[in-house]
Amino acid sequence: MGRKEMIAMLLAGGEGKRLGVLTKDLAKPAVYFGGKYRIIDFTLSNCAHSGIDTVGVLTQYQPLELNRYLGIGSPWGLDRRDGGMAILPPYVKQKGGVWYTGTANAIYQNMSFIERYNPEYVLIISGDHIYKMDYELMLDHHKRCGADVTIAGIEVDWSEASRFGLMHVDDEDRITAFEEKPKTPKSNIASMGVYIFTWSELQKYLIYDEANRSSSHDFGKDLIPSMMRDGKKMFTYPFKGYWKDVGTIDSLWEANMDLLADEPPLTLNDSSWRIYSVSPHQPGHHVGVSAEISASLITEGCMLEGKVHRSVLFYGVNAAKGSTITESVIMPNVRIGEGASIHRAIIGEGAVIQAGVTIGSPDDEAITIVAVDQYVTNDHMLQEVEHS
């Protein structure tokens, strides 16, 4: 097998607890986004556009639906013999097997997969971020700097900064300090969780970190600080585009609403950087005589008789006469009865909202979540309906 210059390892094992009932039976990267996509489509499409043809997808939590969706990687051009996509769950070895205990441990457990391709560089990405990025440009930056590791960085609001690993950088993009989720941030340059490592260095640190009993085996908490202490060549790659970590209900809802702006910060109809996904192969959507639609994304297979304003509707949504949907995200195959009203909500796939039911309120800022396949009636708003 020929040597690959760079392969990608995509961390897709997130449990996604902060997405509540949406991830009860679903890995976070498989959550629906933007009317036609799943969250993982964005990183896989980035790989396709960046010329990366070998991607290891590390799964762990609730992988069944995610694995079925990924298949052999055809939509992203990863159905190939020399490389392509490999699904890498934790597995039992002769000496016993363990769950991935952290991001660095997940890569450590799959070192033999990486060694098959003997790459010069390894790109580590996450399956739960929404952004468009050319990893090839980041690799060029990594080579120019002669870096051991390059971390993509983005400026975030100071109010949000403590949610992230933060980098202090000098005028030449060299990282001078790294703090993992500090309570009082001194920098607002956040790590995007996109790393390029020179493989020979990463290999050493994975082995060293695995042997360290006091380590939590995480890139941000352990491996990166360890390289920092050893004075390794660490640089940031400043990213200026749109990037959103959609790990919370609020951020998932906001990222969907961002798509509806007059000038969206993330454009999905950019023919030079298409987001590839598995097509549901549905007929065109039908807009009835009584329907009113404004500032919304409507996908194929929808049958609409009600009012839809500033909302994202996935395929197969059926909204009856007199129903209203505002500032909401409606997942596939949802049925909405006559006169039902939905405001600022995320409705899980296959849910049925009976006639006359009201979900959410214009006076309430909270996002209401209805679980997958939930049946919601007026007398019985089941516990699975959550507020963010």
Side-chain angles (χ1 to χ4, degrees):
M1 196 172 285
R3 184 176 197 187
K4 300 272 182 190
E5 184 180 32
M6 181 163 79
I7 69 167
M9 299 295 274
L10 198 166
L11 298 161
E15 193 171 343
K17 279 183 182 160
R18 292 175 303 163
L19 288 177
V21 293
L22 294 177
T23 48
K24 197 177 84 175
D25 301 308
L26 193 64
K28 185 163 59 166
V31 168
Y32 290 100
F33 177 80
K36 269 184 98 73
Y37 310 99
R38 305 224 189 197
I39 297 170
I40 198 169
D41 287 336
F42 287 80
T43 32
L44 287 173
S45 297
N46 289 343
C47 287
H49 289 295
S50 305
I52 295 168
D53 63 9
T54 305
V55 181
V57 181
L58 286 72
T59 61
Q60 177 151 294
Y61 176 79
Q62 294 287 10
L64 197 65
E65 174 67 10
L66 179 62
N67 291 355
R68 189 188 65 76
Y69 179 74
L70 294 174
I72 57 170
S74 309
W76 310 278
L78 293 168
D79 50 341
R80 53 183 66 223
R81 199 167 279 171
D82 178 16
M85 179 188 287
I87 308 278
L88 303 170
Y91 58 94
V92 177
K93 307 179 188 71
Q94 271 185 323
K95 296 177 184 169
V98 289
W99 284 88
Y100 297 144
T101 53
T103 50
N105 171 261
I107 303 296
Y108 173 83
Q109 285 200 43
N110 287 286
M111 277 171 56
S112 59
F113 171 79
I114 299 172
E115 282 161 0
R116 276 170 55 187
Y117 300 100
N118 187 23
E120 282 180 69
Y121 308 102
V122 175
L123 168 71
I124 300 197
I125 45 184
S126 165
D128 46 17
H129 298 150
I130 302 290
Y131 65 113
K132 296 195 283 194
M133 182 192 229
D134 189 337
Y135 302 131
E136 212 164 10
L137 297 179
M138 184 173 167
L139 179 60
D140 292 343
H141 184 75
H142 180 86
K143 291 179 189 167
R144 265 198 312 276
C145 295
D148 295 314
V149 59
T150 300
I151 305 175
I154 191 165
E155 284 189 31
V156 293
D157 281 349
W158 283 95
S159 60
E160 293 263 289
S162 58
R163 279 180 54 203
F164 300 99
L166 299 172
M167 299 178 285
H168 298 250
V169 299
D170 67 15
D171 296 344
E172 292 174 340
D173 296 329
R174 186 184 285 270
I175 301 168
T176 55
F178 186 90
E179 308 170 274
E180 180 67 10
K181 300 180 182 171
K183 284 198 173 74
T184 49
K186 298 186 187 69
S187 162
N188 71 329
I189 300 172
S191 160
M192 293 167 60
V194 177
Y195 310 104
I196 290 179
F197 287 92
T198 298
W199 171 231
S200 53
E201 283 298 322
L202 176 58
Q203 205 169 13
K204 279 186 254 177
Y205 277 88
L206 287 171
I207 294 165
Y208 167 77
D209 178 75
E210 190 61 27
N212 179 356
R213 293 265 172 100
S214 62
S215 173
S216 57
H217 309 304
D218 183 84
F219 278 109
K221 291 189 195 124
D222 308 288
L223 198 131
I224 300 288
S226 176
M227 292 182 84
M228 194 88 238
R229 283 193 298 274
D230 291 351
K232 289 294 165 188
K233 292 181 192 162
M234 304 177 72
F235 287 81
T236 184
Y237 175 67
F239 182 68
K240 302 295 184 205
Y242 179 91
W243 177 80
K244 196 102 169 172
D245 177 349
V246 285
T248 65
I249 289 296
D250 285 346
S251 62
L252 179 65
W253 180 84
E254 283 163 13
N256 275 283
M257 293 301 111
D258 284 345
L259 301 172
L260 305 176
D262 288 343
E263 292 184 14
L266 178 78
T267 52
L268 295 178
N269 59 351
D270 174 0
S271 57
S272 68
W273 200 277
R274 283 183 56 200
I275 304 303
Y276 301 110
S277 73
V278 178
S279 171
H281 299 299
Q282 296 259 351
H285 61 259
H286 173 79
V287 178
V289 178
S290 59
E292 292 177 26
I293 298 171
S294 60
S296 296
L297 277 177
I298 312 291
T299 314
E300 61 259 54
C302 290
M303 303 282 286
L304 306 177
E305 300 285 348
K307 292 181 181 173
V308 181
H309 174 63
R310 227 179 145 246
S311 294
V312 174
L313 272 58
F314 284 77
Y315 59 85
V317 171
N318 200 318
K321 277 184 187 166
S323 61
T324 59
I325 302 166
T326 53
E327 297 192 343
S328 294
V329 180
I330 315 294
M331 303 291 191
N333 300 321
V334 168
R335 298 281 172 273
I336 299 164
E338 280 197 29
S341 168
I342 298 170
H343 185 79
R344 283 177 77 92
I346 299 177
I347 310 293
E349 180 177 11
V352 175
I353 314 299
Q354 268 215 325
V357 167
T358 296
I359 292 174
S361 150
D363 308 323
D364 189 353
E365 285 294 291
I367 314 294
T368 308
I369 321 152
V370 174
V372 171
D373 294 329
Q374 189 66 34
Y375 194 84
V376 183
T377 69
N378 259 329
D379 356 307
H380 200 198
M381 291 287 276
L382 298 176
Q383 293 171 340
E384 299 280 24
V385 179
E386 296 187 355
H387 280 283
S388 157

